[in-house]
Amino acid sequence: MKVIITGATGMVGKGVLLECLDHESVEKVLVIGRNPVDVRHPKLEELIHGDFADFSTVKTQLAGYDACFLCMGISSVGLKENDFKKITYDYTLSLAKELFPLNPEMTITYVSGEGTDSSEKGRIMWARVKGKTENDLLNMGFKQAFMFRPGVIIPLRGIKSRTKAYQFIYDYFMWLVHLFKAVAPNAVVNTTQVGKAMINAALYGYNSVIIKPKDIIQLAEK
């Protein structure tokens, strides 16, 4: 399986990247980003691309892939809806629209969030935008599409969150996260589980297109 990953410099994307590089069924990984990742591996190829609003100029490099793991994201804190939508929706759909004609049999996974609003009509801005992103990806026509809503994520393998508020919690309140995990084991996942779940969803499929924490745990164990 040959895979594409976006957002590989972020916490979730980095976790997915490391699991792909370790997995025997993944033979090649293309990371698309504005900046290089701090990883070197024989399977890894990087495509540094500055304009995420337009992937037409690099589409010849996007053909021949079996899966795309869309892990690019940003916190909505302090952002106006148009700015959040540009990064969350516009950039994601810009890539997906180039990928589909080239790889119609591709599996795509998208990192959304717990509480995403599939109706696109709720009061919470980020949930509406995520909901529209999910819906449009699901309706695009890919062979398989899975929307990951992981909720609370524990970073493993030395991975750090690029969101300062989240990393502060991990640095000083990880005991509280683990306590929550003990009380609600199916509500918390880690970056390794997310990565393995994406790979297994692409390889074996799943009985739901909305992948919640419990589903991630089950998929990771396949």
Side-chain angles (χ1 to χ4, degrees):
M1 182 167 70
K2 297 178 180 179
V3 307
I4 294 172
I5 301 175
T6 64
T9 58
M11 185 181 76
V12 175
K14 181 71 170 293
V16 174
L17 170 61
L18 294 179
E19 296 311 313
C20 285
L21 295 177
D22 287 348
H23 202 286
E24 61 182 10
S25 295
V26 179
E27 62 176 278
K28 179 181 178 181
V29 180
L30 175 67
V31 166
I32 304 176
R34 289 192 180 91
N35 300 297
V37 294
D38 58 346
V39 177
R40 299 294 177 267
H41 194 280
K43 292 183 184 180
L44 177 60
E45 180 179 323
E46 293 190 71
L47 172 58
I48 306 301
H49 185 61
D51 184 7
F52 271 55
D54 181 11
F55 288 91
S56 62
T57 57
V58 294
K59 65 181 180 181
T60 57
Q61 300 177 60
L62 305 178
Y65 287 88
D66 305 291
C68 180
F69 302 145
L70 299 163
C71 304
M72 182 177 63
I74 190 171
S75 171
S76 63
V77 176
L79 289 182
K80 294 181 179 179
E81 183 165 349
N82 284 343
D83 295 329
F84 182 71
K85 179 179 177 291
K86 179 179 179 181
I87 296 169
T88 301
Y89 176 84
D90 295 350
Y91 288 177
T92 299
L93 269 292
S94 176
L95 175 58
K97 287 175 181 177
E98 293 294 342
L99 288 174
F100 179 66
L102 299 168
N103 312 283
E105 296 298 300
M106 170 181 276
T107 294
I108 59 167
T109 68
Y110 171 65
V111 179
S112 187
E114 194 72 43
T116 291
D117 178 13
S118 298
S119 76
E120 306 178 28
K121 298 178 181 178
R123 296 177 60 186
I124 301 174
M125 179 271 284
W126 73 263
R128 291 196 309 272
V129 174
K130 290 274 191 177
K132 179 170 177 57
T133 308
E134 283 189 354
N135 291 338
D136 286 6
L137 289 173
L138 288 169
N139 292 327
M140 193 165 286
F142 286 99
K143 179 183 178 181
Q144 296 187 117
F146 300 102
M147 307 296 109
F148 274 59
R149 300 182 180 182
V152 179
I153 306 173
I154 297 175
L156 300 180
R157 303 184 67 171
I159 296 171
K160 301 287 187 180
S161 173
R162 297 179 70 188
T163 303
K164 292 181 179 179
Y166 294 161
Q167 191 55 48
F168 178 83
I169 293 172
Y170 294 136
D171 288 340
Y172 296 100
F173 296 100
M174 184 58 78
W175 62 271
L176 195 58
V177 177
H178 286 293
L179 178 62
F180 182 55
K181 172 73 171 174
V183 173
N186 289 326
V188 180
V189 298
N190 59 54
T191 49
T192 293
Q193 289 172 320
V194 174
K196 288 181 176 179
M198 286 195 182
I199 294 168
N200 287 336
L203 289 173
Y204 309 117
Y206 196 63
N207 58 13
S208 174
V209 297
I210 302 298
I211 309 297
K212 296 184 177 182
K214 186 177 181 179
D215 302 305
I216 291 172
I217 294 168
Q218 292 177 355
L219 270 169
E221 295 173 350
K222 279 194 173 186

